[in-house]
Amino acid sequence: MESRYNPVTPAIVDALAGIVGHDAVLTTPEALEPYSHDETVGLRAEPEVVVRVTSAEQVAAVLRLAQRERVPVTPRGAGYGLSGGAVPLCGGIVLSTERMTRILEIDRENLMVTVEPGVITGDLHRAVEAEGLFYPPDPASLDSCSIGGNVAEGAGGPRAVKYGTTRDYVCGLEAVMPSGEVMTWGGKLVKDVTGYNLIQLLVGSEGTLAVVTKIVLRLLPLPRLQVDLLVPFDDFQTAADTVSDIIAHRILPTAMEFMGQDSILAVERLLEKEVPYHDAAAHLLIQLDGNTQAAVEADMELVGDICLDHGARDVLVAQDRPTRDRLWEARRLIIDALNAESPVNHMEDVVVPRARIHLLLRGIQEISARHGVRIVSFGHAGDGNVHVNVLKDNLDDETWAGAVSVITGEVYRLALSLGGAITGEHGVGATRPRYLPLALDEAQIALMRHIRDVFDPNHILNPGKIFG
Amino acid sequence: MESRYNPVTPAIVDALAGIVGHDAVLTTPEALEPYSHDETVGLRAEPEVVVRVTSAEQVAAVLRLAQRERVPVTPRGAGYGLSGGAVPLCGGIVLSTERMTRILEIDRENLMVTVEPGVITGDLHRAVEAEGLFYPPDPASLDSCSIGGNVAEGAGGPRAVKYGTTRDYVCGLEAVMPSGEVMTWGGKLVKDVTGYNLIQLLVGSEGTLAVVTKIVLRLLPLPRLQVDLLVPFDDFQTAADTVSDIIAHRILPTAMEFMGQDSILAVERLLEKEVPYHDAAAHLLIQLDGNTQAAVEADMELVGDICLDHGARDVLVAQDRPTRDRLWEARRLIIDALNAESPVNHMEDVVVPRARIHLLLRGIQEISARHGVRIVSFGHAGDGNVHVNVLKDNLDDETWAGAVSVITGEVYRLALSLGGAITGEHGVGATRPRYLPLALDEAQIALMRHIRDVFDPNHILNPGKIFG
């Protein structure tokens, strides 16, 4: 954490109003409150002022002012991050892109879309799908989160199995440097090797290197057909073996999610209705897509047979949208269900090579048992990315505080020992800096710090994140 | 260009021999000659010594020595680059990875392969295809170039249309920093957001930031079927319209290459045999793949119909390997044919948004006519990346030297005016640094230079490249 910043004075607030207009500057406690947190449970920090920018020029002017006055700036998308990326740990200015919501162009001929950072990811999906096009990345919060936040965090989602994550689609960026310089990188190009790839350095840099003000994203033709399979198993090991066997059969599904019985039962309690096969130890949710009925059916049949060969209790198939949405309902509601049962909880986001996920889950069960703390794991079986929810339930505050810290360290060490990483899609943010030395050695972290210093020698931008 | 380096003394040669063994150090003019050039026409520079390393530890020791002695080090893969990346502009040490040719592991369960940098890309293709797996990137020199060179240059290839380029497959790197520190980034992970994405910064950094000693690449299931279509057209505009229309029909072929009649006729002269439809103004070569006959045939039929609707003279279909190879023969031989006709020539590698390729080609024809210099363009219609071959033919040396420089600048300005870039897959290297300011502004280039300084403050690694 840094402490070399100046407070936001009334003169600075006036100057900000001069840049963005009075209605775009927030200073009252009530107005600031929503900007003091994101979706990270238990993390809060008040900004001194919020500015809601609408252009790169405004961003540049705000950054120049902040630079001159040594006031920290925390960029913010929609505030749906899960590692505190948008939380202003050092106070100062929250620079919100929530008003930059224009889809500037859907270019059918070049399969590219140009957007402002405040566009809600789900709105982007619907806009391009209406044109028969496809933007695959699908973070779970897609109807609330913004594409600018997705770019800042390098957001993933279930479809990463087949289609990769946000970073695989970013072809061009307009970004404002901490100095206030506006730079344009790349464009509507799927190939470009003009010097270092600054685009890929900016994606996932968690708002510490620059503020993105325009994004060019590659699109795909929308697959004509999508099918979902819900497959209950009597034990998790069998489900994990099935995932490996599907891959070994040279099928790469769009998504392969898993949920344990503990997740399913939590969702049942939330919905107050029965989920099919709620007595199964594990569910796989497998999505397939393609352009012809024959191709999708061939994959579906093969996947179904593999599941049944491994002892799946059933293969529920959903082809139409309402049935598909119903199958995904339980998966999407897990976080809500766990929040409802234990409002105090802690979510991790480790990732391991996909074939080692059963070792990760077994190890987490052991950690849970050893500490007597409930841990519910679910997530992306197809890419090895597991969301590990540690629940306070009825533990007293002191026991909980101690347990969370120890468990987090143990889960990270377990994932790393399996060749994994401490965060697959949520980012380091405000919650993981002290664990970064588990994942990277001193020289690697120093290298990253030096890169930050090149962009932002005064650490004006999003201080406290990634490096603490 | 830098000139702050020391010569390689006999003591340094002895020290190098102590690190890698005497047989792995080359110093005679005959032995050094092959390391004084790559495939870039007309570019040569002699190294003072060549070391053929076999491990990260050897690379680290060589770099520490070079750092201490202020001797430049030029990393070299197989030497098939087209922008002089492996040419030792400042003399010093060429560090060759040609002996690091082990495929360390093909991991079927995780769809990952781990290789040393000296593995020939075509060998990698064959090794994983034997297991039913697929490494899509396919630079034209794939049977000669090495995967380490591909990573250094961010190499592309025809299949980029559907499958992207080298950078889209790199999940893990072991790399030796100019300081001699060995660092491991990423792993067998398709999702990882632990801090800045140094992997993607290193890919395409042209050997100026680190020496890669191990590479983890993501694989796909090998598509069960591939089909190629050769489609002759009476004019290029129609061929370009057809490409756009195929995309508009929501089909993303594996590859869409184009060749003008000038290319076809040059290949005919080289082969001394007739190419089918050699009187056509333009050929498209379209590759489709998939897992079921029905799916591939459906795509093939639709693509064929679109071509014929636009006035294609025929649609030649090749499904078996020998026929497919025959269709690709002309495309693969274009560079050889042009080199045979005009051993002095100059190849550019511009890229534009794919729907603007016809504007690029028309502009290049105008440039050719205005200067009275033959220019043959061919390449990747599907991704907008065009190889522009400027031929000396019978021009006198002075006219040629003047013309090439002017034409290069005009081609770059044209591509940039169309929203393109100066190099799509060959890199900036030794041949384009003075044109970099056309593509990037001063602040952008300064930012890249500062990033290099973080990695390599003494500019030991591959000096003269990218920034001149």
Side-chain angles (χ1 to χ4, degrees):
Chain A
M1 198 79 53
E2 334 265 339
S3 61
R4 43 174 142 170
Y5 303 109
N6 293 322
V8 175
T9 60
I12 293 175
V13 171
D14 282 349
L16 290 170
I19 296 166
V20 297
H22 279 280
D23 77 303
V25 175
L26 308 176
T27 54
T28 65
E30 306 73 51
L32 296 179
E33 193 284 330
Y35 298 89
S36 65
H37 63 87
D38 61 6
E39 288 293 298
T40 312
V41 174
L43 184 73
R44 301 189 79 86
E46 285 275 293
E48 292 162 76
V49 61
V50 172
V51 292
R52 295 179 290 181
V53 293
T54 54
S55 71
E57 293 65 37
Q58 289 187 356
V59 173
V62 170
L63 290 178
R64 279 193 301 266
L65 175 70
Q67 198 66 256
R68 207 163 53 230
E69 302 287 349
R70 291 286 187 278
V71 170
V73 176
T74 301
R76 182 183 177 94
Y80 276 77
L82 289 164
S83 60
V87 179
L89 294 185
C90 303
I93 301 168
V94 161
L95 189 157
S96 170
T97 57
E98 72 198 281
R99 289 184 169 180
M100 298 182 74
T101 57
R102 287 182 299 169
I103 295 176
L104 298 168
E105 186 197 20
I106 297 174
D107 181 344
R108 290 174 57 96
E109 281 193 300
N110 288 306
L111 293 184
M112 295 277 172
V113 61
T114 306
V115 296
E116 292 185 328
V119 172
I120 300 301
T121 306
D123 291 342
L124 171 62
H125 279 198
R126 283 180 287 276
V128 303
E129 285 171 20
E131 307 265 336
L133 301 174
F134 186 38
Y135 175 69
D138 58 343
S141 59
L142 64 90
D143 281 320
S144 311
C145 65
S146 71
I147 188 69
N150 295 174
V151 169
E153 300 294 324
R159 290 181 193 146
V161 181
K162 180 167 179 178
Y163 292 108
T165 66
T166 305
R167 75 165 59 257
D168 297 306
Y169 294 85
V170 183
C171 293
L173 288 179
E174 177 187 81
V176 187
M177 301 296 121
S179 59
E181 280 162 310
V182 182
M183 295 187 179
T184 302
W185 301 101
K188 294 177 180 175
L189 303 171
V190 292
K191 280 177 174 175
D192 180 6
V193 291
T194 313
Y196 301 146
N197 196 320
L198 273 287
I199 290 175
Q200 292 296 329
L201 183 61
L202 292 180
V203 177
S205 64
E206 306 191 13
T208 64
L209 299 182
V211 179
V212 168
T213 49
K214 201 184 287 178
I215 305 158
V216 181
L217 297 163
R218 183 169 74 87
L219 299 172
L220 297 176
L222 183 66
R224 289 185 172 77
L225 298 161
Q226 284 187 320
V227 159
D228 291 291
L229 311 178
L230 184 68
V231 191
F233 289 89
D234 278 331
D235 63 286
F236 182 77
Q237 182 63 52
T238 311
D241 292 346
T242 305
V243 168
S244 290
D245 205 21
I246 290 169
I247 301 273
H249 276 78
R250 292 159 46 183
I251 295 177
L252 201 57
T254 310
M256 287 197 277
E257 300 286 298
F258 80 93
M259 304 170 274
Q261 192 183 10
D262 45 5
S263 297
I264 298 290
L265 295 179
V267 171
E268 274 197 341
R269 289 188 292 266
L270 180 76
L271 292 177
E272 296 180 346
K273 71 177 188 194
E274 207 170 275
V275 171
Y277 292 102
H278 64 157
D279 56 330
H283 285 181
L284 287 181
L285 187 52
I286 301 171
Q287 186 168 98
L288 302 165
D289 65 19
N291 281 326
T292 64
Q293 193 73 32
V296 174
E297 267 172 17
D299 281 357
M300 196 169 77
E301 213 159 296
L302 184 51
V303 168
D305 286 349
I306 294 168
C307 291
L308 294 171
D309 285 351
H310 279 271
R313 290 175 53 180
D314 201 348
V315 177
L316 306 174
V317 177
Q319 295 199 280
D320 60 292
R321 192 62 190 249
T323 319
R324 290 178 48 221
D325 286 346
R326 209 153 51 236
L327 286 197
W328 277 85
E329 186 184 28
R331 168 65 183 85
R332 291 202 203 283
L333 286 174
I334 295 172
I335 291 183
D336 290 341
L338 297 177
N339 279 334
E341 298 202 349
S342 178
V344 178
N345 62 63
H346 177 81
M347 196 193 325
E348 286 305 332
D349 168 48
V350 290
V351 58
V352 295
R354 92 183 91 207
R356 292 187 159 180
I357 202 170
H358 63 287
L359 299 173
L360 176 70
L361 292 169
R362 195 182 305 151
I364 290 171
Q365 280 174 355
E366 284 164 16
I367 291 170
S368 168
R370 194 160 60 243
H371 294 282
V373 174
R374 187 156 69 115
I375 303 181
V376 177
S377 302
F378 64 94
H380 313 300
D383 58 31
N385 183 206
V386 177
H387 299 318
V388 180
N389 283 59
V390 189
L391 304 172
K392 181 170 183 282
D393 289 337
N394 299 320
L395 294 177
D396 64 75
D397 290 356
E398 201 183 332
T399 311
W400 166 248
V404 159
S405 166
V406 174
I407 288 171
T408 300
E410 289 184 9
V411 169
Y412 288 159
R413 284 190 187 88
L414 172 63
L416 293 165
S417 75
L418 295 169
I422 65 171
T423 174
E425 53 184 27
H426 294 170
V428 177
T431 56
R432 298 185 180 91
R434 67 188 165 119
Y435 299 103
L436 202 60
L438 296 179
L440 300 172
D441 65 33
E442 216 173 294
Q444 291 176 302
I445 296 172
L447 185 58
M448 288 186 183
R449 280 180 179 276
H450 293 322
I451 291 172
R452 177 180 53 162
D453 289 345
V454 164
F455 284 78
D456 187 15
N458 298 316
H459 301 183
I460 290 300
L461 216 46
N462 214 0
K465 307 301 163 62
I466 302 182
F467 309 106
Chain B
M1 198 81 53
E2 332 265 340
S3 63
R4 43 173 144 169
Y5 303 109
N6 293 322
V8 174
T9 61
I12 293 176
V13 172
D14 282 348
L16 290 170
I19 295 167
V20 297
H22 279 280
D23 76 303
V25 176
L26 307 175
T27 53
T28 65
E30 306 74 50
L32 295 179
E33 194 283 329
Y35 298 89
S36 66
H37 63 88
D38 61 6
E39 290 292 299
T40 313
V41 174
L43 184 71
R44 301 188 78 88
E46 285 276 294
E48 293 162 77
V49 60
V50 172
V51 292
R52 296 179 289 181
V53 292
T54 54
S55 70
E57 292 66 37
Q58 289 186 356
V59 173
V62 170
L63 290 178
R64 279 193 300 265
L65 175 69
Q67 198 65 256
R68 208 162 51 230
E69 303 286 348
R70 289 287 185 275
V71 170
V73 176
T74 301
R76 183 182 176 93
Y80 275 78
L82 289 164
S83 61
V87 179
L89 294 185
C90 302
I93 301 167
V94 161
L95 188 157
S96 169
T97 56
E98 71 197 282
R99 290 182 170 183
M100 298 181 75
T101 58
R102 286 182 301 169
I103 296 176
L104 297 168
E105 187 198 19
I106 298 174
D107 180 344
R108 291 175 55 96
E109 279 194 300
N110 287 306
L111 292 184
M112 294 278 171
V113 61
T114 306
V115 296
E116 291 185 329
V119 172
I120 300 301
T121 306
D123 291 342
L124 171 62
H125 280 197
R126 283 180 286 276
V128 302
E129 285 172 17
E131 308 266 338
L133 302 174
F134 186 37
Y135 175 69
D138 58 342
S141 59
L142 64 90
D143 281 320
S144 311
C145 65
S146 70
I147 188 71
N150 296 174
V151 169
E153 300 295 323
R159 290 182 193 146
V161 182
K162 180 167 178 177
Y163 291 108
T165 67
T166 306
R167 75 165 57 258
D168 297 305
Y169 294 85
V170 184
C171 294
L173 288 178
E174 178 188 79
V176 187
M177 301 295 119
S179 60
E181 281 163 309
V182 182
M183 293 185 181
T184 302
W185 301 101
K188 294 178 182 175
L189 302 172
V190 290
K191 281 178 175 174
D192 180 5
V193 289
T194 313
Y196 300 148
N197 197 322
L198 273 287
I199 290 175
Q200 292 296 330
L201 183 62
L202 293 179
V203 176
S205 65
E206 306 191 14
T208 64
L209 299 182
V211 179
V212 167
T213 48
K214 200 184 287 178
I215 305 159
V216 181
L217 298 162
R218 181 170 74 87
L219 300 172
L220 297 177
L222 183 66
R224 289 185 172 77
L225 297 162
Q226 284 187 320
V227 158
D228 290 291
L229 311 178
L230 184 68
V231 191
F233 289 88
D234 277 331
D235 62 285
F236 181 77
Q237 183 64 52
T238 312
D241 291 346
T242 305
V243 168
S244 289
D245 205 20
I246 290 170
I247 300 273
H249 276 77
R250 293 160 45 183
I251 294 177
L252 201 58
T254 310
M256 285 197 279
E257 299 288 298
F258 79 93
M259 305 170 276
Q261 192 184 11
D262 45 4
S263 297
I264 298 289
L265 296 178
V267 171
E268 274 196 340
R269 291 189 290 267
L270 179 77
L271 290 178
E272 296 181 346
K273 71 177 190 197
E274 206 170 276
V275 170
Y277 292 101
H278 62 157
D279 57 331
H283 285 183
L284 287 182
L285 186 52
I286 301 170
Q287 186 169 97
L288 302 165
D289 65 19
N291 282 326
T292 65
Q293 193 73 32
V296 174
E297 266 172 17
D299 281 356
M300 195 168 79
E301 214 158 294
L302 183 52
V303 168
D305 286 348
I306 295 168
C307 291
L308 294 171
D309 284 352
H310 279 270
R313 290 173 55 179
D314 201 349
V315 177
L316 306 174
V317 178
Q319 294 198 277
D320 61 292
R321 192 60 189 249
T323 319
R324 290 178 49 221
D325 286 346
R326 207 152 55 236
L327 286 199
W328 277 85
E329 185 183 30
R331 168 64 183 86
R332 292 201 202 284
L333 286 174
I334 296 172
I335 291 183
D336 290 342
L338 298 177
N339 279 333
E341 299 202 348
S342 178
V344 178
N345 63 63
H346 177 81
M347 196 192 324
E348 285 304 333
D349 167 48
V350 290
V351 59
V352 295
R354 91 184 92 206
R356 293 188 158 178
I357 202 168
H358 63 286
L359 299 173
L360 176 70
L361 292 168
R362 196 182 304 152
I364 289 171
Q365 280 173 356
E366 285 165 17
I367 292 170
S368 168
R370 193 160 61 243
H371 295 283
V373 174
R374 186 156 69 115
I375 304 182
V376 177
S377 301
F378 64 94
H380 314 299
D383 59 32
N385 182 207
V386 177
H387 299 318
V388 180
N389 282 59
V390 190
L391 304 172
K392 182 172 182 283
D393 289 338
N394 300 321
L395 294 178
D396 65 74
D397 290 356
E398 202 181 333
T399 311
W400 167 248
V404 159
S405 166
V406 174
I407 288 171
T408 300
E410 289 185 9
V411 170
Y412 288 159
R413 283 189 189 86
L414 173 63
L416 292 166
S417 75
L418 296 169
I422 64 172
T423 174
E425 52 184 27
H426 294 171
V428 178
T431 55
R432 298 186 179 90
R434 67 190 165 118
Y435 299 103
L436 202 58
L438 295 180
L440 300 173
D441 65 34
E442 215 173 295
Q444 289 176 304
I445 296 172
L447 185 58
M448 288 186 182
R449 280 181 180 276
H450 293 321
I451 290 172
R452 177 179 54 162
D453 290 343
V454 165
F455 284 79
D456 186 15
N458 299 316
H459 300 184
I460 290 302
L461 217 46
N462 215 359
K465 306 302 163 60
I466 302 182
F467 309 105

